[in-house]
């Protein structure tokens, strides 16, 4: 059994009020909620610090928790919500981003099942093969490497693993025998981990890379990683993304 929490903030540099933007006659957050409700989750809760989002969610009968507005990270916001919901320390929570209106329910089920199947892990997340140099060298694409058991060793915006000989050439070559992987930002957490996480200071690695999951590695937690069971559609970060999703859902 697991629970889904969908953080939804009104503030967005590129798309203000993003959760409330209309897509095929519904606010974006409703599409995300509907996809999450198609998963096997025992409950789906929207977490927001804005009354406008809470009011919109009430129109489609979603469960909403109003949170503080001063959380330093999304993980801190989740911890407030699991405390409010009274979830047990051993419970599993999946964080589904509020700008993923096309999130496949199968991925939500997968990441939750992976965490529940790995008692040594505090978190679980997903990845997919990375097969082009442009993405590998793009700092907006987060890369990861794991050990032979599928536990994360590191996440980075830099290219990794670094292939000394292949990358010394011009043009650079992407070796076919190495597992280059892109991180997919879908997480499952144990509630006990969330309670611990908010007590830890931000780590130097987390600050340098601007990646919250590095705090977990810094403090010795294990993160289980699996390749996604299906290709996840891109989320909505820009107007172009919004136009693309509107075209897709408007045609349904």
């Amino acid at each position: 059994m697991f629970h889904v929490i969908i953080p939804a903030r009104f503030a967005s540099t590129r798309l203000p009020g993003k959760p409330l933007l209309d897509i095929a006659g519904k606010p974006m957050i409703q599409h995300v909620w509907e996809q999450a409700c198609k998963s096997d989750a025992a409950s789906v809760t929207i977490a927001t610090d804005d009354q406008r989002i809470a009011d919109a969610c009430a129109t489609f009968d979603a469960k909403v928790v109003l949170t503080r507005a001063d959380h330093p990270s999304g993980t801190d916001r989740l911890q407030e919500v699991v405390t409010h919901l009274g979830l047990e320390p051993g419970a599993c929570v999946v964080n589904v981003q509020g700008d993923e209106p096309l999130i496949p329910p199968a991925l939500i089920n997968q990441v939750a099942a992976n965490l529940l199947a790995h008692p040594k892990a505090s978190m679980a997340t997903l990845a997919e093969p990375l097969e082009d140099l442009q993405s590998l060298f793009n700092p907006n694409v987060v890369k990861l490497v794991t050990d032979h058991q599928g536990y994360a060793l590191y996440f980075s915006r830099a290219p990794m693993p670094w292939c000394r000989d292949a990358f010394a050439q011009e043009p650079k070559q992407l070796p076919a025998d190495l597992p280059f992987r892109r991180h997919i930002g879908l997480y499952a957490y144990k509630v006990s981990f969330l309670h611990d996480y908010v007590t830890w200071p931000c780590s130097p690695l987390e600050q340098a890379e601007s990646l919250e999951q590095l705090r977990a590695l810094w403090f010795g937690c294990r993160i289980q990683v699996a390749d996604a069971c299906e290709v996840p559609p891109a989320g909505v970060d820009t107007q172009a993304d919004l136009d693309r999703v509107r075209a897709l859902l408007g045609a349904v």
Side-chain angles (χ1 to χ4, degrees):
M1 185 176 72
F2 66 94
H3 305 268
V4 168
I5 297 175
I6 307 172
R9 296 179 64 249
F10 192 87
S12 172
T13 304
R14 288 181 284 189
L15 288 173
K18 185 162 58 171
L20 300 183
L21 294 175
D22 181 85
I23 300 176
K26 301 175 184 177
M28 184 189 306
I29 189 64
Q30 183 173 351
H31 288 282
V32 181
W33 176 81
E34 289 175 350
Q35 290 300 99
C37 287
K38 294 175 186 175
S39 75
D40 297 332
S43 69
V44 178
T45 304
I46 296 171
T48 184
D49 58 3
D50 194 285
Q51 188 62 51
R52 290 166 289 187
I53 295 175
D55 292 342
C57 293
T59 66
F60 52 90
D61 297 325
K63 184 176 184 178
V64 180
V65 172
L66 273 169
T67 67
R68 298 184 354 234
D70 60 347
H71 285 299
S73 74
T75 310
D76 291 270
R77 190 178 309 279
L78 285 185
Q79 190 271 340
E80 180 185 354
V81 177
V82 300
T83 301
H84 177 88
L85 296 176
L87 297 182
E88 294 295 321
C92 173
V93 172
V94 177
N95 177 16
V96 175
Q97 294 300 323
D99 58 3
E100 299 277 353
L102 302 175
I103 182 76
L107 295 188
I108 300 173
N109 291 338
Q110 181 189 11
V111 75
N114 288 350
L115 180 62
L116 293 169
H118 291 82
K120 294 180 181 179
S122 299
M123 299 169 54
T125 192
L126 300 176
E128 65 178 353
L130 194 160
E131 298 174 341
D132 65 279
L133 279 169
Q134 184 177 1
S135 295
L136 184 66
F137 283 82
N138 182 348
N140 295 317
V141 176
V142 178
K143 280 70 66 173
L144 62 87
V145 291
T146 67
D147 65 16
H148 73 285
Q149 295 179 304
Y151 290 102
L153 293 173
Y154 195 64
F155 298 79
S156 183
R157 299 182 183 278
M160 66 175 196
W162 183 263
C163 303
R164 186 192 62 178
D165 296 335
F167 293 165
Q169 303 175 26
E170 288 298 341
K172 294 178 173 62
Q173 302 295 319
L174 194 64
D177 58 344
L178 277 176
F180 296 96
R181 297 164 86 189
R182 181 182 80 86
H183 180 225
I184 296 169
L186 180 66
Y187 294 103
Y189 304 94
K190 290 178 181 173
V191 167
S192 57
F193 163 80
L194 292 172
H195 292 322
D196 289 339
Y197 184 93
V198 299
T199 69
W200 298 331
C202 181
S203 75
L205 296 177
E206 175 189 0
Q207 290 179 315
E209 298 258 19
S210 190
L211 296 173
E212 291 178 39
Q213 63 270 36
L214 293 178
R215 190 186 311 184
L217 293 182
W218 180 266
F219 284 96
C221 294
R222 304 188 81 178
I223 303 176
Q224 198 278 333
V225 182
D227 282 340
C229 61
E230 61 181 274
V231 178
V236 177
D237 291 319
T238 66
Q239 184 63 46
D241 295 334
L242 180 62
D243 293 341
R244 172 183 51 80
V245 173
R246 280 174 169 168
L248 285 170
L249 293 179
V252 174

